Amino acid sequence: MAEQKIPYKIYLEESEMPKAWYNVRADMKNKPAPLLNPGTHQPMTAEELSVVFCDELVQQELDNTNAYIEIPQEIRDFYKMYRPSPLVRAYCLEKKLQTPAKIYYKFEGNNTSGSHKLNSAIAQAYYAKKQGLKGVTTETGAGQWGTALSMACSYFDLDCKVFMVKVSYEQKPFRREVMRTYGASVTPSPSETTEVGRRILAAHPGTTGSLGCAISEAVEVAVGTPGYRYVLGSVLNQVLLHQSVIGLETKAALDKYNIKPDIIIGCAGGGSNLGGLISPFMGEKLRGEADYRIIAVEPASCPSFTRGVYAYDFCDTGMVCPLAKMYTLGSDFIPSANHAGGLRYHGMSSVLSQLYDDGLMEATSVEQTSVFQAAEQFARVEGILPAPESSHAIRVAIDEAMKCKETGEEKTIVFGLTGTGYFDMVAYEKFHNGEMSDYIPTDEELAEARAKLPKV
Ligand SMILES: *Cc1c(COP(=O)(O)O)cnc(C)c1O
């Protein structure tokens, strides 16, 4: 009976919203490996990093000790426009599945950018503005990050230059127009406007681009233009820190009703939403206060955790960025052209890589047709049209709920619903027309990209 009291949506009062981000690195015994200078293979110093990134973000990137970092009031005020995001009890999905499992999802798609990426974009834009910079450069794949950053930059009156992976630039013209609405300039990558772009185009004529290429171009422009810095929407420690707002809100909402999750599930591209969602729960696990099963879900066509190696690698194709130790497929790896589900980055957050290597979380990979099946199943009962990325988490949440149906266990499952899929209708169309296929890279293909890892 007590269960009836749990509302469909658990909201927090404004006064209950987090006032500080939680830095899970402070509680990790084995800290994530430091970024290395690609030339000397020595840890990057704050001074070296500040050529590329804003000063305060460099401090956050290197901070392995402070567990809580205050969220500046200006950022909290911006968060209030679209946060707290709802934690939804998926009663309708549970009913449809006839599962005894209790399923909750944290929905991050309630803002114009349509995803969680705004949580970090607004923080990064704020620190750039505070430093008196003119603007920032970045890359975007499917366009969610570029959109979020454009919104954040227009709010703080900063210039925003986005390098957009060429295939997405061509396939998702509406994303591009959203970014331009917010005042950003959008260049398809690889482009002729940078040295590294010209180099990549010469080596791979006709390439449709990759996140790795776009990062190289954005970094080159940031370093070469006075008053500009580069910002990144995932992978980095600072981004996971900002995204901890997702997990802190989730935990506060669950605590209100004394709910203890058994399983926490999130999709993993570069790891920022998952890292953010699990942070406070992982903190409890690291401090020995509680235990949770934590599952990262990645595409079978870009399986960094499940088939990658834990090694230092380049973060970008042009090899201009620092080296990061992570689960990686090799910076040369480009997912097959038929892959439509997002989460295309070759590597994974150093924080999550270390936690995974220490056996504190699990990872699994899923094929895209089964991801779209789950997306459709979810959309039809829960009323939200999910992003393909988010649907990786839906797939595994449904699978776990169906296991509960077999065993009769009433497990509590929480998953991250990172965004909406309105700009992904071409992929949905392919799925509906039966034109979507699954591609799993062969061991030989993976070995080829892995052979090019730097020797550190
Ligand atoms: C970018 C994105 C992701 C993946 O990025 P992470 O850094 O792994 O969180 C997942 N879902 C949506 C909707 C996104 O836009």
Side-chain angles (χ1 to χ4, degrees):
M1 291 313 277
E3 188 180 315
Q4 295 305 320
K5 291 192 193 133
I6 295 169
Y8 269 72
K9 287 184 183 159
I10 309 180
Y11 278 105
L12 298 175
E13 301 296 329
E14 237 174 66
S15 60
E16 295 170 310
M17 284 172 64
K19 296 183 181 56
W21 292 300
Y22 168 63
N23 178 12
V24 70
R25 285 168 280 160
D27 284 311
M28 290 169 69
K29 273 192 209 79
N30 299 323
K31 305 295 181 194
L35 294 168
L36 298 186
N37 179 310
T40 63
H41 293 180
Q42 292 302 307
M44 291 288 287
T45 61
E47 205 182 343
E48 289 172 317
L49 285 169
S50 65
V51 177
V52 181
F53 300 114
C54 305
D55 296 345
E56 210 141 342
L57 293 167
V58 168
Q59 295 309 320
Q60 295 181 359
E61 192 62 30
L62 298 175
D63 188 340
N64 282 345
T65 49
N66 290 304
Y68 288 94
I69 294 171
E70 197 192 321
I71 307 174
Q73 188 61 49
E74 289 89 335
I75 299 174
R76 281 164 56 197
D77 289 343
F78 186 87
Y79 279 169
K80 280 177 200 163
M81 286 198 276
Y82 69 101
R83 310 199 68 81
S85 70
L87 180 72
V88 185
R89 173 77 184 265
Y91 281 119
C92 301
L93 180 63
E94 290 170 20
K95 192 169 158 206
K96 184 80 183 176
L97 300 175
Q98 296 191 321
T99 173
K102 300 177 179 69
I103 309 173
Y104 296 83
Y105 57 89
K106 179 73 167 163
F107 181 47
E108 290 290 321
N110 264 339
N111 68 76
T112 294
S113 79
S115 83
H116 64 288
K117 293 205 170 68
L118 194 54
N119 301 333
S120 183
I122 195 64
Q124 298 196 46
Y126 167 80
Y127 291 115
K129 186 69 186 180
K130 201 175 155 208
Q131 196 174 323
L133 298 177
K134 273 199 233 133
V136 292
T137 72
T138 198
E139 77 297 327
T140 196
Q144 288 99 319
W145 167 246
T147 306
L149 188 68
S150 310
M151 290 175 71
C153 284
S154 74
Y155 184 73
F156 285 122
D157 210 9
L158 281 167
D159 182 38
C160 180
K161 298 186 196 299
V162 181
F163 286 87
M164 185 172 189
V165 176
K166 193 179 278 169
V167 61
S168 300
Y169 183 91
E170 284 160 5
Q171 285 178 358
K172 299 192 176 183
F174 295 144
R175 272 276 182 214
R176 188 176 78 209
E177 291 317 313
V178 179
M179 288 185 256
R180 293 176 63 195
T181 300
Y182 285 96
S185 71
V186 188
T187 308
S189 166
S191 75
E192 297 282 353
T193 68
T194 64
E195 203 182 302
V196 67
R198 290 188 290 273
R199 181 149 56 84
I200 291 167
L201 281 172
H204 308 275
T207 175
T208 53
S210 69
L211 275 177
C213 298
I215 294 173
S216 302
E217 292 202 88
V219 171
E220 181 183 316
V221 172
V223 171
T225 316
Y228 280 73
R229 292 292 185 283
Y230 166 71
V231 296
L232 180 61
S234 183
V235 185
L236 295 174
N237 299 343
Q238 56 186 275
V239 183
L240 267 75
L241 175 73
H242 306 147
Q243 295 297 355
S244 70
V245 70
I246 303 173
L248 292 164
E249 283 183 9
T250 302
K251 184 141 193 337
L254 292 173
D255 284 350
K256 265 186 155 179
Y257 290 89
N258 277 319
I259 304 162
K260 280 258 161 248
D262 297 293
I263 310 175
I264 304 168
I265 300 166
C267 63
S272 74
N273 88 83
L274 177 67
L277 173 66
I278 67 171
S279 279
F281 301 97
M282 185 57 86
E284 289 187 316
K285 195 165 163 154
L286 287 162
R287 297 187 302 269
E289 297 163 7
D291 199 13
Y292 305 98
R293 237 188 107 195
I294 294 171
I295 310 175
V297 190
E298 58 186 17
S301 51
C302 191
S304 329
F305 266 139
T306 51
R307 295 177 69 200
V309 288
Y310 191 30
Y312 268 103
D313 193 10
F314 297 101
C315 293
D316 61 325
T317 311
M319 306 177 184
V320 298
C321 289
L323 304 176
K325 189 174 179 193
M326 53 188 177
Y327 274 85
T328 180
L329 297 165
S331 62
D332 241 32
F333 181 82
I334 296 183
S336 137
N338 83 345
H339 173 66
L343 311 172
R344 313 170 62 95
Y345 190 61
H346 66 273
M348 188 56 67
S349 138
S350 292
V351 172
L352 292 188
S353 293
Q354 186 61 47
L355 292 168
Y356 178 66
D357 204 57
D358 286 339
L360 291 157
M361 54 183 278
E362 305 166 28
T364 184
S365 73
V366 290
E367 293 173 27
Q368 64 177 358
T369 49
S370 80
V371 167
F372 279 82
Q373 273 160 15
E376 202 168 77
Q377 202 175 0
F378 181 85
R380 288 180 184 181
V381 287
E382 288 292 325
I384 293 172
L385 194 146
E389 292 89 341
S390 322
S391 305
H392 288 72
I394 300 176
R395 170 76 275 157
V396 173
I398 291 178
D399 291 347
E400 289 297 328
M402 293 313 282
K403 282 184 207 159
C404 290
K405 186 174 174 176
E406 274 167 37
T407 60
E409 284 173 290
E410 292 183 26
K411 285 190 181 155
T412 297
I413 299 169
V414 174
F415 73 89
L417 188 70
T418 49
T420 48
Y422 301 115
F423 288 101
D424 300 287
M425 296 326 288
V426 172
Y428 272 91
E429 182 185 31
K430 278 202 181 114
F431 173 68
H432 294 141
N433 291 345
E435 290 159 2
M436 180 174 279
S437 56
D438 294 315
Y439 183 79
I440 302 178
T442 63
D443 289 339
E444 288 72 28
E445 282 170 77
L446 293 185
E448 205 178 299
R450 200 183 296 150
K452 294 185 190 155
L453 285 173
K455 305 276 174 289
V456 178

